[in-house]
């Protein structure tokens, strides 16, 4: 029926034309609740049905001891050059650095008075680094001096973490044969999932705040500043060693927190995405755990990657501020 | 589900504990690479990214502050204009009231004057009419007197069958006129 027919002559509806009224929820973009419920039930049905079907078809093949999921994080040198050998972690370091520099410089060169979404996101990150992380923990002069370091730490760690959630063909241990070409299998890896990288960053932080503390108070003044005012005698010596230990613990906590979070995230995604099924030899288990894998992946990308960078950068700013503070 | 999760954690722990020692073994080479790459990143960002972003944000902040200042200035100007407008409106209303008042006063004065003039004209017209009436009455009375005299002479001559002398005529006329009462005729127009 054409529009003219449907509308009647001259726009007057025909007498038998039923008046169309909007139904419940008309004009609302949200789909009806019934539809969501149906979709969810369907998905759950497919999920459970898939588990049953896969288990019925393939059953259990027994435990697979040859597959070592931790080897996903093993670093084999691709180019041997002594200290400067190139391996997967170095590649990810470079990828993180390139992603950080390219994205930030690209946006910085195209700053507009009326920002688009990407520029807005970068501005939000920049203001978070400048006003909250650095400005919130350091005085104006210190904040200006240390902002490039703290900002780079935040961005570098965040991009390292995010790049680690992009599946890349970097697993040289397991290869895929595509028309005779043996290419490395895709895997998730993050530079920060290797202890060396968070550790050296933590060492940089340790060195920075110690340097800043000594510059502000002098070597003796800085060491004396470790003891709270009013504490004397044996207790002062005890607290001094406790504070030295606390500084070393800072080093460990900074590095291990980042490393362990990212490694654990990657491992659990790996397990949920099929490693567990491979180890236990139960194919149906992969189908069973994949929803959890997807949820964890989203959680890691959406929250953990940025949160860990934020924690690392914030603690750096706090340590720097604490090192020059008058009273301990 | 719980059994599965337990299985996962146990398996994961076993995997890491069994042959994952390399995971917590720091590599000097990687640390050196990290220092180099991080240093280069910091150098590039602090030279090419941070200053430009900071400059753009500063410009925008300045633009926003300028806009706020301009808006504030415009608001003040608008308020001043509004105040001035209100004052002028008040003055205009006062002037309008005064004009209306004056117009009313002028109209009243004009009305009074017109009334007075009307009354004067009326009085003048009435006086003139009275005078005309009096003159007409006088003329009528003279005519009546003459007619009466003539009729009296004529009647006397017919009765007496002789011609009267001037002295007789005069005496008869005076007697006849003396018997006539003109007071009602002469008072008639005056009383009207």
């Amino acid at each position: 029926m054409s529009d003219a027919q449907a509308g009647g002559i001259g726009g007057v509806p025909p007498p038998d034309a039923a008046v169309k009224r909007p139904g419940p929820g008309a004009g609302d973009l949200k789909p009806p609740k019934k539809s969501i419920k149906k979709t969810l039930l369907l998905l759950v049905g497919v999920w459970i049905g898939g588990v049953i079907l896969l288990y019925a078809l393939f059953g259990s093949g027994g435990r697979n001891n040859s597959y070592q999921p931790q080897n996903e994080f093993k670093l084999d040198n691709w180019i041997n050059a002594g200290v400067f050998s190139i391996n997967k972690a170095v590649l990810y370091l470079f990828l993180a650095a390139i992603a950080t520099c390219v994205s930030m410089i690209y946006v910085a060169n195209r700053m507009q008075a009326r920002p688009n979404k990407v520029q807005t996101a970068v501005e939000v990150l920049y203001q978070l680094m400048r006003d909250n992380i650095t400005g919130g923990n350091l005085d104006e002069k210190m904040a200006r001096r240390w902002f490039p370091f703290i900002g780079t730490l935040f961005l570098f760690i965040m991009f390292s973490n995010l790049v680690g959630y992009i599946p890349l063909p970097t697993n040289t241990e397991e290869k895929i044969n595509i028309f005779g070409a043996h290419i490395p299998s895709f895997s998730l890896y993050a530079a920060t999932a290797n202890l060396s990288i968070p550790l050296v960053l933590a060492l940089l932080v340790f060195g920075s705040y110690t340097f800043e503390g000594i510059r502000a108070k002098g070597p003796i003044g800085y060491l004396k500043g470790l003891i709270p005012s009013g504490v004397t005698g044996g207790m002062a010596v005890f607290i001094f060693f406790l504070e030295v230990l606390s500084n070393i613990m800072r080093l460990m906590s900074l590095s291990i927190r980042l490393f362990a979070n990212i490694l654990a995230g990657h491992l659990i995604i790996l397990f949920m995405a099929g490693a567990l099924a491979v180890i236990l030899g139960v194919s149906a288990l992969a189908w069973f755990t994949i929803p959890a894998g997807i949820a964890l992946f989203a959680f890691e990308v959406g929250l953990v990657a940025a949160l860990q960078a934020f924690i690392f950068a914030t603690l750096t700013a706090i340590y720097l501020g604490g090192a020059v503070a008058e009273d301990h | 589900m719980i059994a599965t999760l337990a299985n996962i954690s146990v398996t994961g722990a076993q995997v890491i504990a069994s042959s994952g020692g390399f995971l917590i073994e720091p590599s000097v080479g990687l640390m050196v690479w990290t220092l180099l790459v991080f240093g280069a990143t910091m150098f590039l960002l602090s030279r090419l990214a941070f200053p430009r972003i900071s400059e753009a944000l500063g410009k925008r902040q300045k633009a926003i502050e300028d806009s706020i200042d301009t808006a504030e200035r415009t608001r003040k100007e608008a308020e001043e204009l509004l105040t001035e407008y209100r004052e002028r409106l008040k003055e205009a209303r006062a002037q309008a009231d005064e004009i209306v008042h004056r117009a009313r006063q002028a109209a009243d004065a004009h009305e009074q004057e017109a009334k007075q003039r009307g009354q004067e004209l009326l009085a003048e017209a009435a006086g003139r009419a009275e005078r005309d009436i009096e003159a007409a009455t006088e003329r009528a009375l003279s005519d009546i007197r003459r007619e009466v005299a003539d009729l009296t002479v004529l009647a006397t001559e017919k009765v007496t069958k002789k011609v009267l002398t001037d002295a007789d005529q005069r005496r008869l006329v005076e007697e006849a006129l003396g018997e006539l009462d003109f007071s009602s005729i002469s008072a008639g127009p005056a009383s009207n």
Side-chain angles (χ1 to χ4, degrees):
Chain A
M1 186 187 278
S2 70
D3 288 346
Q5 285 170 317
I9 300 159
V12 179
D16 58 341
V19 180
K20 286 187 178 177
R21 292 180 191 283
D28 197 343
L29 290 175
K30 287 178 185 174
K33 279 183 181 177
K34 269 189 176 179
S35 170
I36 296 171
K37 201 176 172 183
K38 268 185 181 178
T39 312
L40 282 173
L41 280 172
L42 187 70
L43 284 172
V44 170
V46 169
W47 181 52
I48 293 170
V51 172
I52 294 165
L53 186 70
L54 283 170
Y55 192 76
L57 285 174
F58 301 106
S60 174
R63 198 180 171 96
N64 178 359
N65 290 322
S66 62
Y67 175 61
Q68 300 290 318
Q70 71 273 27
N71 287 350
E72 298 270 340
F73 299 90
K74 205 170 185 178
L75 296 176
D76 294 322
N77 285 343
W78 294 338
I79 299 168
N80 279 313
V83 173
F84 295 103
S85 294
I86 305 289
N87 54 32
K88 188 161 62 177
V90 177
L91 172 73
Y92 272 83
L93 268 179
F94 273 99
L95 287 176
I98 290 166
T100 309
C101 291
V102 168
S103 57
M104 295 303 288
I105 294 170
Y106 179 83
V107 175
N109 285 332
R110 285 162 184 76
M111 293 292 282
Q112 295 165 350
R114 291 174 189 273
N116 55 20
K117 284 178 185 172
V118 177
Q119 188 185 321
T120 306
V122 169
E123 284 177 8
V124 168
L125 275 181
Y126 187 86
Q127 283 169 334
L128 174 79
M129 295 185 299
R130 187 187 62 183
D131 302 337
N132 294 75
I133 299 175
T134 312
N137 296 296
L138 300 172
D139 62 51
E140 201 181 331
K141 193 181 165 190
M142 281 273 286
R144 210 179 309 117
R145 185 186 299 153
W146 288 99
F147 171 70
F149 176 64
I150 295 169
T152 308
L153 264 180
F154 175 76
L155 291 172
F156 185 73
I157 293 170
M158 190 179 75
F159 274 97
S160 278
N161 295 346
L162 288 173
V163 167
Y165 294 110
I166 302 169
L168 294 173
T170 53
N171 187 351
T172 46
E173 193 163 308
E174 307 289 335
K175 297 196 174 177
I176 310 167
N177 186 350
I178 299 177
F179 303 115
H182 293 273
I183 62 160
S185 61
F186 281 80
S187 67
L188 294 183
Y189 181 79
T192 42
N194 188 297
L195 183 61
S196 307
I197 292 158
L199 181 63
V200 77
L201 293 176
L203 275 168
L204 264 178
V205 171
F206 178 80
S208 301
Y209 76 74
T210 306
F211 167 77
E212 193 61 46
I214 290 171
R215 191 166 71 168
K217 299 174 182 173
I220 305 295
Y222 178 67
L223 291 174
K224 273 186 181 171
L226 293 175
I227 305 164
S229 55
V231 180
T232 53
M235 183 57 83
V237 176
F238 174 70
I239 287 180
F240 176 77
F241 283 108
L242 207 64
E243 282 295 324
V244 170
L245 192 68
S246 157
N247 274 268
I248 294 164
M249 291 305 287
R250 281 178 179 180
L251 194 65
M252 289 171 67
S253 71
L254 263 184
S255 52
I256 291 171
R257 182 187 298 109
L258 176 59
F259 154 72
N261 267 290
I262 302 303
L263 179 69
H266 278 72
L267 271 173
I268 201 157
I269 290 169
L270 183 67
F271 274 99
M272 293 296 130
L276 192 68
V278 174
I279 293 168
L280 298 177
V282 184
S283 306
L285 200 57
W287 189 254
F288 179 73
T289 55
I290 198 74
I294 293 166
L296 282 163
F297 183 85
F299 176 71
E300 292 282 327
V301 173
L303 184 70
V304 176
L307 185 66
Q308 287 304 318
F310 177 78
I311 291 169
F312 200 101
T314 304
L315 285 173
T316 302
I318 290 170
Y319 295 158
L320 277 164
V324 295
E326 283 300 318
D327 209 9
H328 186 75
Chain B
M1 189 69 174
I2 293 165
T4 310
L5 287 174
N7 209 353
I8 291 166
S9 53
V10 169
T11 310
Q14 280 173 352
V15 162
I16 292 166
S18 61
S19 55
F22 64 87
L23 289 172
I24 50 168
E25 192 179 320
S27 154
V28 177
L30 196 52
M31 290 169 89
V32 172
W33 271 121
T34 308
L35 277 176
L36 291 174
V37 172
F38 179 79
T41 307
M42 192 168 91
F43 176 77
L44 288 173
L45 290 183
S46 57
R47 287 294 171 103
L48 302 173
F50 291 156
R52 287 173 191 173
I53 297 171
S54 179
E55 188 189 345
L57 288 176
K59 270 184 189 170
R60 188 179 306 142
Q61 191 178 348
K62 194 176 176 308
I64 290 166
E65 282 170 2
D66 287 349
S67 300
I68 291 169
D69 288 346
T70 309
E72 186 66 22
R73 211 164 38 242
T74 312
R75 193 182 63 80
K76 276 183 185 170
E77 282 174 9
E79 273 181 5
E80 282 170 7
L81 277 174
L82 186 65
T83 312
E84 192 183 330
Y85 167 76
R86 279 181 179 155
E87 278 174 8
R88 283 190 180 179
L89 193 66
K90 209 173 165 183
E91 282 173 13
R93 274 183 186 155
Q95 281 177 358
D97 287 346
E98 197 182 332
I99 288 165
V100 169
H101 181 68
R102 278 183 192 170
R104 197 167 287 153
Q105 275 184 336
D108 287 347
H110 191 70
E111 189 185 351
Q112 283 297 114
E113 194 182 333
K115 272 184 183 171
Q116 200 175 347
R117 177 79 184 141
Q119 279 173 353
E120 280 172 10
L121 284 173
L122 187 65
E124 192 183 329
R128 194 162 53 241
E130 200 173 338
R131 282 194 299 278
D132 288 349
I133 289 165
E134 277 177 5
T137 307
E138 283 297 321
R139 271 197 307 274
L141 283 175
S142 296
D143 289 346
I144 290 168
R145 274 194 190 102
R146 197 165 46 249
E147 282 293 316
V148 168
D150 290 343
L151 286 172
T152 304
V153 171
L154 189 64
T156 306
E157 280 177 348
K158 277 184 178 176
V159 170
T160 58
K161 303 281 189 190
K162 61 177 185 178
V163 178
L164 295 176
T165 62
D166 288 342
D168 291 333
Q169 281 183 8
R170 199 176 299 116
R171 187 178 46 84
L172 281 173
V173 168
E174 281 172 4
E175 280 176 8
L177 288 173
E179 285 171 8
L180 283 172
D181 184 14
F182 289 104
S183 62
S184 61
I185 298 167
S186 60
S191 67
N192 285 337

